[in-house]
């Protein structure tokens, strides 16, 4: 979105953030936090969101979410640290993923199962709403992160207001946790157990379709699959996961939520 570009311009233009070799890092951090807090007032956030299809209560929710993410002191402090780290070593920060998404990723795995299930239920809805080509490119990792973010925002704009509010609440909670804690780490044994269960569940799901041969091949080599087959695998995967119950569901959602 344009307001992220505005932030980058403000900082890169040196508006108060001195990056001399002999510098006061704490002062720099506070200045970046200040700039983040000002961003909702100077960037065209509402207009950008309107262009993505947000209207009425959903537009108000989306604007409030942007303001919360950039003004929350815990989140803003973490983002400020990332901005400063990017100046010191541009390869150390995943700039292409934006400022917030890596932070949300760090926190997702710490959330309770009920929140993770709701979060991935919305993600499934997003995947089902994309065109087959868009869905297939996203599943097979052939879509730029910025383009995927735009498409998912357009789908989110059409969610009912209650669902969007809960989805945003979960994202904000994950971002706050991600600013304070390291991502969840599964042991090799636990990860292998989840992978074996997923493989068996997906095989059963695929064998129940009328395209079992093609889809099995697509699952084995997803990056080489057609967009149609990749999308079918992605949608089938989400349906398979969300049908799990109990500990199997909990472990799988945590596994999926690792950065």
């Amino acid at each position: 979105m344009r307001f992220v570009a505005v932030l980058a311009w403000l900082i890169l233009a040196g508006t108060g953030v001195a990056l001399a070799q002999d510098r006061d890092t704490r002062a720099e951090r506070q200045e970046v936090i200040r700039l983040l807090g000002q961003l909702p007032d100077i960037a065209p956030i509402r207009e950008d969101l309107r262009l993505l299809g947000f209207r009425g209560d959903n537009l108000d929710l989306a604007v409030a979410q942007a303001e919360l993410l950039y003004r929350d002191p815990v989140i803003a402090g973490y983002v400020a640290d990332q901005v400063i780290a990017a100046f010191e070593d541009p390869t150390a920060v995943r700039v292409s993923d934006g400022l917030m998404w890596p932070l949300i990723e760090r926190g997702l795995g710490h959330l309770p199962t009920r929140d993770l299930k709701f979060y991935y239920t919305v993600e499934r809805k997003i995947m089902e709403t994309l065109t087959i080509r868009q869905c297939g490119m996203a599943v097979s990792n052939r879509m730029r992160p910025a383009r995927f973010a735009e498409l998912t925002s357009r789908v989110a704009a059409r969610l009912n207001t209650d669902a969007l509010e809960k989805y945003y609440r979960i994202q904000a909670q994950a971002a706050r946790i991600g600013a304070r804690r390291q991502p969840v780490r599964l042991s090799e044994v636990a990860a292998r157990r989840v992978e074996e269960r997923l493989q068996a569940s997906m095989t059963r799901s695929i064998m129940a379709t009328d395209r079992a041969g093609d889809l099995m091949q697509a699952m084995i080599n997803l990056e080489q699959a057609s967009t149609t087959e990749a999308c079918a695998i992605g949608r089938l995967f989400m349906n398979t996961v969300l049908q799990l119950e109990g500990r199997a569901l909990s472990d799988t959602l945590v596994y999926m939520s690792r950065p």
Side-chain angles (χ1 to χ4, degrees), residues 125-139:
K125 175 65 175 178
I126 289 171
M127 185 178 293
E128 290 172 346
T129 305
L130 296 177
T131 68
I132 289 176
R133 182 175 183 277
Q134 291 166 347
C135 165
M137 289 182 67
V139 170

Side-chain angles (χ1 to χ4, degrees), residues 242-254:
L242 292 171
Q243 288 173 3
L244 297 173
E245 298 178 344
R247 182 63 181 270
L249 174 65
S250 176
D251 289 348
T252 302
L253 293 179
V254 170

Side-chain angles (χ1 to χ4, degrees), residues 196-258:
E196 290 172 353
R197 183 188 300 118
L198 281 173
Q199 185 175 27
S201 297
M202 277 296 291
T203 298
R204 288 193 295 270
S205 296
I206 289 172
M207 296 306 295
T209 72
D210 57 4
R211 294 184 291 157
D214 290 340
L215 292 181
M216 283 298 297
Q217 186 61 38
M219 185 173 71
I220 293 170
N221 193 1
L222 194 59
E223 291 186 356
Q224 298 300 317
S226 69
T227 53
T228 299
E229 291 168 349
C231 182
I233 289 294
R235 291 174 175 175
L236 197 60
F237 177 82
M238 293 298 288
N239 287 333
T240 299
V241 167
L242 292 171
Q243 288 173 3
L244 297 173
E245 298 178 344
R247 182 63 181 270
L249 174 65
S250 176
D251 289 348
T252 302
L253 293 179
V254 170
Y255 176 87
M256 289 169 57
S257 302
R258 300 174 304 165

Side-chain angles (χ1 to χ4, degrees), residues 39-61:
L39 191 59
D41 295 326
I42 62 178
I45 292 176
R46 182 172 290 273
E47 180 58 26
D48 279 355
L49 290 168
R50 187 178 287 109
L51 290 173
L52 289 172
F54 287 90
R55 299 288 186 275
D57 290 341
N58 280 11
L59 177 59
D60 291 339
L61 272 176

Side-chain angles (χ1 to χ4, degrees), residues 136-174:
M137 289 182 67
V139 170
S140 57
N141 200 29
R142 283 176 269 180
M143 181 179 289
R144 292 180 295 107
R147 174 59 174 161
F148 184 67
E150 177 190 343
L151 290 172
T152 55
S153 293
R154 291 185 182 280
V155 176
R158 301 197 296 272
L159 293 173
N160 71 68
T161 301
D162 288 343
L164 183 63
E165 183 175 19
K166 187 173 181 179
Y167 183 65
Y168 280 161
R169 177 185 61 76
I170 291 171
Q171 283 192 336
Q173 184 179 357

